[in-house]
Amino acid sequence: MRYDRLGFPIPPDFDLQPAGDAAGGPGPVAGRAPGRRGKRWLIGGAAVAVVAAIVLPEALPLVRQAVVSWSLERAAAREARDDIGGAVVELGRALEWHGADADLLCLRALLRLEDRDAPGALEDAAAAAAEAPLSPQPARVRALVHVVLGDADAALADAARVVSLAAPGDPEALNLRAYVRALVGREVPEALADIDRAIDAAGEGSPELLDTRGYLLHLAGRTQEAIDQLNLAIDGMQQRRRQLALLTGRIDRDELSRRLRTLDHGLAVMLHHRALACVEAGLAEQAQQDAELARKKGFDPSRGIM
């Protein structure tokens, strides 16, 4: 399972695979997005299922499964092409046919946030929490939405809830709380303790964890240490991007674009953090270069890319 910088799982196909065939055969291989042939099959299968449901009401579950799978596939493709509003619509159709589902609601909430619909994102996160009250995922989303809405107290409360619901010492939960504390500019010493615990628990510093530590060191006034950590984070993320680019022509084009888009957003945030630290260090030219590249790669706090 891959995770973004706030600890959200990044499933390659929205983590909702069609079930196996009627004979019990396996569904699509997890982690592999359908290619063009698979997409044509999905659309054709949905049409056949609708016709079957008209003739045979007992075929309705097949129709539901086909429409949900088709909608999720279209949502992923639209996201890959930066049509976030279209992706939100497709996820809405999936939810209508599937029924309330915490994971789908969290995914739509994040897309709504990126589409600058923070109130809608908050509604989805609340609905997800109602569906899965013991899951930390809705609280993760809600914490980020509260940051965008400027409600620091609510953001910190949800970040604390993530830690309480996650397994003890979970590095992703600790990273989330540390980063929310950094974003709202509160409890920086406690946040540094969180991120140190997270890195110790993980056994290594992933780019996301190192970025959080670097940003917090910057807020604590430890500028050179911050730059050192952020350099490591950016190098690690760039290496990931190069490795992913090697899959060009080997996986579905939309899926590759979506994964690269996610990495670029993470890299944009890291570059922004280094720009801030470089300003403090008097490295004006480097700060300007980082800030401009961060903007080009999508840094935008109003869309939750922060």
Side-chain angles (χ1 to χ4, degrees):
M1 177 67 72
R2 295 172 296 120
Y3 294 88
D4 69 11
R5 65 152 295 105
L6 294 179
F8 295 105
I10 308 174
D13 54 357
F14 287 91
D15 202 28
L16 187 61
Q17 295 282 1
D21 58 28
V29 176
R32 181 178 301 166
R36 291 184 177 83
R37 183 177 301 174
K39 293 177 183 178
R40 289 195 296 269
W41 176 89
L42 204 58
I43 295 170
V48 170
V50 170
V51 173
I54 296 173
V55 179
L56 300 171
E58 60 269 24
L60 185 58
L62 175 63
V63 174
R64 182 178 296 111
Q65 181 186 83
V67 173
V68 170
S69 297
W70 177 64
S71 299
L72 294 180
E73 172 67 22
R74 285 176 57 85
R78 288 183 181 276
E79 182 191 1
R81 299 166 191 173
D82 286 322
D83 179 9
I84 305 303
V88 169
V89 171
E90 298 297 342
L91 268 172
R93 182 189 299 114
L95 279 161
E96 288 175 4
W97 282 83
H98 182 277
D101 177 88
D103 290 336
L104 293 181
L105 285 164
C106 284
L107 286 169
R108 188 173 68 173
L110 290 171
L111 287 172
R112 279 182 156 179
L113 187 61
E114 190 174 344
D115 203 34
R116 295 192 176 90
D117 179 16
L122 193 60
E123 290 178 5
D124 276 350
E131 288 295 318
L134 298 181
S135 170
Q137 288 304 100
R140 289 181 190 273
V141 176
R142 201 164 52 191
L144 183 59
V145 177
H146 283 312
V147 170
V148 173
L149 290 172
D151 192 340
D153 290 338
L156 290 170
D158 272 323
R161 180 167 176 76
V162 169
V163 174
S164 70
L165 290 173
D170 179 75
E172 303 299 341
L174 291 169
N175 178 54
L176 183 280
R177 185 169 66 179
Y179 195 63
V180 168
R181 283 168 159 170
L183 287 172
V184 302
R186 294 191 192 174
E187 304 168 5
V188 171
E190 293 85 353
L192 277 167
D194 269 348
I195 195 59
D196 286 344
R197 287 176 57 204
I199 292 174
D200 287 344
E204 62 178 351
S206 68
E208 292 82 1
L209 298 181
L210 292 172
D211 173 63
T212 298
R213 179 189 268 169
Y215 185 36
L216 284 164
L217 289 169
H218 158 67
L219 294 176
R222 296 159 60 179
T223 303
Q224 188 55 55
E225 292 176 81
I227 292 174
D228 291 343
Q229 292 290 290
L230 293 167
N231 285 342
L232 291 173
I234 290 168
D235 288 347
M237 189 63 86
Q238 289 174 330
Q239 182 178 356
R240 279 189 194 172
R241 199 186 191 287
R242 288 191 294 269
Q243 291 172 341
L244 184 57
L246 294 176
L247 296 177
T248 301
R250 299 169 58 190
I251 65 173
D252 179 70
R253 183 173 58 187
D254 286 340
E255 173 62 15
L256 179 61
S257 296
R258 191 161 66 89
R259 293 190 193 183
L260 288 171
R261 185 175 181 276
T262 298
L263 285 181
D264 279 344
H265 285 175
L267 186 56
V269 172
M270 296 174 187
L271 288 164
H272 173 74
H273 292 162
R274 191 171 67 180
L276 295 176
C278 285
V279 168
E280 292 298 317
L283 303 173
E285 185 175 349
Q286 181 65 53
Q288 183 177 357
Q289 291 176 1
D290 282 349
E292 179 62 20
L293 186 54
R295 185 190 63 79
K296 289 181 179 179
K297 287 187 173 295
F299 179 78
D300 186 344
S302 71
R303 302 175 69 195
I305 306 169
M306 57 189 178

